[in-house]
Amino acid sequence: MALLQSSSTDSSWWVFTLPAFLGSEVLSDHSLLVVSLFVASISAVLLAWALSSGGPAWANGRSQRGPTQIPGPRGIPLFGSIFSLAQGLPHRTLAKLSHSNHATELMAFSIGSTPAVVSSEPGVAKEILTHPNFADRPLKRSARELMFARAIGFAPSGTYWRMLRRIASTHLFAPRRIAAHESGRQFDCSTMLSGIQSEMASTGSVKLRHHLQGAALNNIMGSVFGKRYNLSEQNADAEVLKQMVREGFSLLGAFNWSDHLTWLPKMFDPSRVEKRCADLVPRVRNLVSQIIDEHRKSLGGCPRQLGDNGDFVDVLLSLEGEEKLNEDDMIAVLW
């Protein structure tokens, strides 16, 4: 115990020497102590940034784990290369940075506190894509808030993810099941073409986006939920669903500063991700839970012979044993 106390006392000697270095005779000046600690922290950050190739996210020798240091731009402290990538086309910006840093095969750079690598060398790119260290997809804050941490797209590599992959390959993407839903896809396609023809006849021009989105949405709803909407007429349920899907894609696809500047959410949320997710998640839960309950009622508590033309909700409800999912996981997978 005495040894531990002595070690603790000795390790804090520098605190008592600060006043001497800064010209103060007492340590009771709290403002001086705060300023000193602040200067020391900033100095440490600047030193780590100056000594790290690739920027602040690659500090502490992270870019030197192999026999050769990974070259890359340092960017600016705390932010890395985040502002460089915000200008112009990102792939051209990365090409310029790679050329200026002589990174011919692999380049390290920082997006805030997120370490990143980029390569245009086919062999290196293949190694990155096949190496188990890169198996997990980075989980964005919006994906975590929207329950995607338990979905196949973002679930970490492991037993649960392999089970989801097996379920999807066996049931959702099986050739017989895809063939069984061919008539539904043909119906969605013909409906889309009719809508395009009608809009062209009435306005002389066509905005394809909403036609393509409607057909894709109906195709997914049919194969996953067993439910389709008549998009040629005004449909309140379809409009609500479209709005939810658009908001979900916006949250997942938009750049969120908080994903890369971990200190930012403690002060404010520039993209309002937390609030928007908090508004969307209850609506998603309500919609998907209603569809699951409808399927359960149609089953009447009796097991159904699952045919190839059944939807994915029926598949998930029919699973038994270790493959059976709880309702929260079902909502995450279906959404």
Side-chain angles (χ1 to χ4, degrees):
M1 180 64 71
L3 180 61
L4 290 175
Q5 290 177 347
S6 175
S7 175
S8 175
T9 303
D10 292 341
S11 64
S12 60
W13 63 269
W14 61 274
V15 176
F16 299 97
T17 64
L18 280 175
F21 283 113
L22 297 173
S24 175
E25 296 180 356
V26 294
L27 195 62
S28 59
D29 188 352
H30 296 293
S31 61
L32 178 62
L33 181 60
V34 170
V35 171
S36 303
L37 293 175
F38 177 75
V39 171
S41 300
I42 294 298
S43 301
V45 170
L46 290 175
L47 183 62
W49 166 78
L51 296 177
S52 62
S53 174
W58 291 89
N60 302 322
R62 195 172 190 173
S63 62
Q64 297 177 323
R65 292 184 178 179
T68 306
Q69 184 183 44
I70 305 175
R74 289 189 176 88
I76 58 178
L78 296 180
F79 296 94
S81 302
I82 197 169
F83 295 116
S84 299
L85 294 173
Q87 301 173 0
L89 298 173
H91 67 283
R92 292 186 177 177
T93 301
L94 289 172
K96 291 178 181 177
L97 290 173
S98 176
H99 179 73
S100 61
N101 287 274
H102 307 289
T104 56
E105 295 185 353
L106 188 67
M107 182 179 74
F109 62 100
S110 299
I111 307 175
S113 59
T114 304
V117 291
V118 63
S119 175
S120 57
E121 179 71 23
V124 178
K126 181 180 179 181
E127 185 176 353
I128 291 173
L129 293 174
T130 57
H131 200 280
N133 286 346
F134 294 89
D136 291 340
R137 184 177 183 180
L139 187 63
K140 299 178 60 173
R141 184 185 180 192
S142 56
R144 184 174 60 253
E145 298 284 347
L146 292 175
M147 306 175 292
F148 281 102
R150 299 294 289 176
I152 192 170
F154 289 94
S157 178
T159 304
Y160 178 74
W161 181 83
R162 286 193 294 271
M163 181 185 69
L164 292 182
R165 182 183 178 184
R166 183 171 63 251
I167 293 171
S169 61
T170 303
H171 300 287
L172 187 60
F173 301 118
R176 289 193 306 174
R177 185 171 295 277
I178 292 174
H181 286 273
E182 176 66 24
S183 59
R185 291 193 296 274
Q186 290 181 355
F187 175 78
D188 295 332
C189 186
S190 62
T191 302
M192 179 185 68
L193 293 175
S194 297
I196 292 173
Q197 184 180 20
S198 176
E199 184 177 345
M200 184 66 187
S202 60
T203 64
S205 62
V206 179
K207 293 182 179 179
L208 286 175
R209 173 173 292 185
H210 75 275
H211 292 288
L212 294 171
Q213 287 178 341
L217 181 63
N218 247 352
N219 178 46
I220 294 172
M221 288 295 295
S223 60
V224 175
F225 296 107
K227 189 174 185 178
R228 279 183 164 84
Y229 296 101
N230 184 3
L231 300 178
S232 61
E233 301 176 358
Q234 289 293 331
N235 189 305
D237 291 340
E239 290 303 318
V240 170
L241 180 61
K242 285 181 181 178
Q243 193 276 330
M244 290 169 57
V245 171
R246 280 196 296 267
E247 179 70 355
F249 275 120
S250 174
L251 286 166
L252 287 173
F255 180 82
N256 181 16
W257 291 81
S258 302
D259 288 328
H260 310 288
L261 304 175
T262 54
W263 45 268
L264 188 61
K266 299 176 182 178
M267 296 184 289
F268 72 104
D269 185 2
S271 303
R272 299 187 303 113
V273 170
E274 185 174 358
K275 183 181 184 306
R276 290 167 64 190
C277 288
D279 292 339
L280 181 59
V281 167
R283 298 166 61 195
V284 170
R285 283 186 175 276
N286 184 51
L287 172 69
V288 180
S289 295
Q290 283 183 357
I291 295 175
I292 293 174
D293 289 340
E294 289 172 2
H295 281 68
R296 283 198 177 112
K297 289 177 182 177
S298 68
L299 291 174
C302 301
R304 176 190 293 177
Q305 286 297 109
L306 193 62
D308 291 331
N309 60 347
D311 56 64
F312 199 47
V313 177
D314 290 331
V315 170
L316 295 183
L317 290 175
S318 69
L319 297 176
E320 298 292 343
E322 63 178 13
E323 289 188 341
K324 191 170 184 63
L325 303 178
N326 60 46
E327 184 147 337
D328 286 342
D329 287 343
M330 285 179 62
I331 292 173
V333 170
L334 292 169
W335 166 239

